[in-house]
Amino acid sequence: MLNRSNSQSLFERAKKNIPGGVNSPVRAFRAVGGNPLFMSHAKGAYLFDEDGNRFVDLINSWGPMILGHAHPVVEEAVKKALSGSPSFGAPTRREVEMAELVCSLVPSIEQVRMVNSGTEATMAAIRVARGYTGRDKIIKMEGCYHGHADSFLIAAGSGAMTFGVPDSPGVTKGVANDTLTVPFNNLNAVEKVLSENVNQVAALILEPVVGNMGCVLPQAGYLQGLRKLCDQHKVVLIFDEVMTGFRLALGGAQQVFDVKPDMTTLGKIVGGGLPVGAYGGKKEIMSCVSPAGPVYQAGTLSGNPLAMAAGMALLTYLKEHPEVYQHINQTGEKIAKELRSQAREFGVKATVNQQGSMFTLFFSDVQVVNYETAKKADTTLFGNYFQHMLEQGIYLAPSQFEAMFISEAISNEVVDSILTASRESFKRL
Ligand SMILES: *Cc1c(COP(=O)(O)O)cnc(C)c1O
């Protein structure tokens, strides 16, 4: 049994002054039972908790730790930036270089604005799309998560899905009325909604490969079909690549699937582990953003020197080391294949969805293609598997409806340890 005494006492203290004891809901372990572990530090493929337990990390901060934890390249860049003062509130050279880098890496981005989180990025992106089109409504997909802004907390994935409160109290009816939802992977549904709301829809936003109802892939032709429909109806197509950006490829899902959205939102990897988000797209659209245009959006700490240094160091490293993607993608494929075969061996119903270095093991015998089918997964079985893995030193995302993220630090040796633990976990189910 893991010693959890320090985590336990920290959690008791945390609950007194932090709602639910955590600063983001999924961390609380409510979906898998038990209490959260408190982390003290991490290096490479491993997390270390307050009781000195070591875990292979398959969350990697939900993406940013794509090279593993405490990578020297990022660490050095932040140290150097820190000695020059952590913030100015005035323009800096790094912001120019960062914008140039992002525009050169992401195929559809001509201009980009830095913000401080993925939530800010998506929130700003739809405001810009509304300002640009002069229309109010947006379309989102059931089970996609775009951060915690009001407009997106309608049939949302991630923590909102885990806790069964897709519509949060505090979101007004007016806001909810402007958000139209359709099932993922269903072009007819989008076509129907567009024809019922002629000239009213500003934007269609989605995760091109979903991470937030677990990993769900777009079916062949789906993204191309959305591109076509958005062109026909003059709707701004927004790819929320906060998870997939710089992960599925340097140019994100839009590069992998060769579909150009009008706007893209970024987060997670773009900050190298510091709080950064970004939104960008066609120059014509981005020119609406203040002070170039009338759509207001601002941020005291946006383009922060430490954050820019971390993000730029990470992106530059990824650009110079394409073999990183080869390694993490192959690792993803290998783990998915082995998990399928283990599930078969032990007669456990399982569907493994995987794209590059993202994957989800759904405890379900139906193909998972959207929110409806994702929800069919057996969350109790997942909770048991999660706990067996944790006991054996493997830290999975603490919910059935999340993706796992592979880092460069997960070597073939580490993969073997994951698979050995998984085999034992399936056996114990
Ligand atoms: C994480 C995530 C967000 C929100 O980003 P935060 O930095 O947590 O605000 C938005 N969209 C997607 C697809 C995400 O995965």
Side-chain angles (χ1 to χ4, degrees):
M1 285 292 275
L2 291 175
N3 174 13
R4 305 179 184 215
S5 51
N6 290 338
S7 281
Q8 192 54 39
S9 66
L10 278 169
F11 190 50
E12 293 310 321
R13 278 170 62 193
K15 281 191 288 189
K16 293 199 180 90
N17 296 102
I18 308 174
V22 292
N23 279 314
S24 198
V26 175
R27 295 179 198 168
F29 274 31
R30 293 208 180 172
V32 289
N35 290 327
L37 300 178
F38 283 66
M39 298 304 162
S40 81
H41 63 285
K43 182 73 193 166
Y46 297 102
L47 286 170
F48 297 85
D49 73 6
E50 289 279 348
D51 291 289
N53 301 307
R54 188 185 84 163
F55 302 94
V56 171
D57 186 10
L58 281 171
I59 301 183
N60 284 295
S61 187
W62 306 99
M65 299 297 120
I66 188 169
L67 299 179
H69 288 276
H71 194 279
V73 162
V74 177
E75 204 172 302
E76 287 311 312
V78 174
K79 275 186 190 155
K80 205 169 145 205
L82 181 60
S83 66
S85 180
S87 188
F88 310 118
T92 59
R93 173 186 294 273
R94 278 199 190 87
E95 292 165 82
V96 183
E97 292 171 353
M98 182 67 153
E100 287 169 353
L101 188 57
V102 170
C103 291
S104 75
L105 297 180
V106 185
S108 69
I109 298 187
E110 293 169 4
Q111 288 200 333
V112 65
R113 175 60 69 83
M114 289 291 149
V115 291
N116 305 289
S117 67
T119 294
E120 272 189 64
T122 55
M123 197 172 72
I126 58 159
R127 183 183 304 143
V128 172
R130 283 168 165 156
Y132 173 73
T133 57
R135 302 171 177 178
D136 289 345
K137 294 183 180 175
I138 61 163
I139 299 178
K140 81 175 279 290
M141 311 291 161
E142 292 161 12
C144 279
Y145 178 70
H146 304 294
H148 62 86
D150 288 1
S151 299
F152 302 118
L153 286 181
I154 322 286
S158 193
M161 176 171 180
T162 305
F163 301 124
V165 281
D167 304 305
S168 169
V171 176
T172 66
K173 281 197 197 74
V175 168
N177 281 342
D178 281 336
T179 300
L180 310 166
T181 62
V182 292
F184 191 75
N185 270 330
N186 185 337
L187 285 174
N188 290 338
V190 175
E191 202 161 10
K192 182 161 179 280
V193 166
L194 285 171
S195 66
E196 287 166 358
N197 295 272
V198 177
N199 294 334
Q200 294 180 68
V201 178
L204 182 152
I205 185 167
L206 82 160
E207 302 174 65
V209 171
V210 190
N212 286 295
M213 50 180 148
C215 183
V216 177
L217 277 56
Q219 289 168 343
Y222 178 60
L223 298 175
Q224 287 81 356
L226 291 177
R227 176 68 276 178
K228 219 168 160 184
L229 285 171
C230 286
D231 284 340
Q232 278 164 13
H233 294 264
K234 297 196 164 46
V235 169
V236 176
L237 176 61
I238 306 174
F239 278 5
D240 181 356
E241 297 228 43
V242 170
M243 256 181 191
T244 53
F246 312 110
R247 170 157 292 278
L248 298 184
L250 210 41
Q254 57 194 272
Q255 179 186 323
V256 175
F257 293 92
D258 195 21
V259 175
K260 274 194 188 172
D262 302 303
M263 295 185 80
T264 302
T265 52
L266 299 166
K268 300 192 168 109
I269 291 178
V270 77
L274 271 78
V276 181
Y279 67 98
K282 286 185 181 156
K283 195 170 171 199
E284 185 189 334
I285 300 174
M286 291 301 289
S287 306
C288 297
V289 180
S290 180
V295 178
Y296 197 69
Q297 186 272 310
T300 302
L301 293 175
S302 295
N304 173 267
L306 297 189
M308 291 301 100
M312 211 155 58
L314 179 55
L315 296 187
T316 304
Y317 184 93
L318 290 171
K319 183 180 169 181
E320 289 167 359
H321 295 82
E323 70 276 10
V324 168
Y325 292 101
Q326 203 183 336
H327 172 74
I328 61 176
N329 291 351
Q330 276 171 0
T331 303
E333 230 167 273
K334 177 168 182 200
I335 292 178
K337 187 165 153 251
E338 291 294 324
L339 291 181
R340 286 182 197 116
S341 115
Q342 288 181 355
R344 263 197 310 275
E345 182 183 345
F346 293 100
V348 177
K349 56 180 184 180
T351 298
V352 183
N353 283 358
Q354 173 255 338
Q355 176 77 42
S357 57
M358 288 167 67
F359 70 94
T360 297
L361 161 61
F362 290 98
F363 286 89
S364 174
D365 45 18
V366 297
Q367 237 198 321
V368 179
V369 296
N370 56 23
Y371 187 60
E372 253 338 280
T373 45
K375 277 195 302 192
K376 292 206 162 83
D378 186 332
T379 53
T380 307
L381 218 48
F382 176 82
N384 294 341
Y385 178 84
F386 172 89
Q387 298 294 352
H388 293 321
M389 290 295 270
L390 197 65
E391 278 295 328
Q392 297 174 85
I394 315 292
Y395 194 89
L396 305 176
S399 161
Q400 169 71 93
F401 306 114
E402 300 286 355
M404 316 285 170
F405 299 94
I406 292 157
S407 77
E408 166 76 353
I410 297 186
S411 62
N412 293 336
E413 227 172 15
V414 179
V415 170
D416 288 343
S417 69
I418 295 169
L419 292 174
T420 304
S422 172
R423 199 160 190 285
E424 181 61 27
S425 302
F426 273 118
K427 203 154 108 191
R428 290 186 200 169
L429 284 180

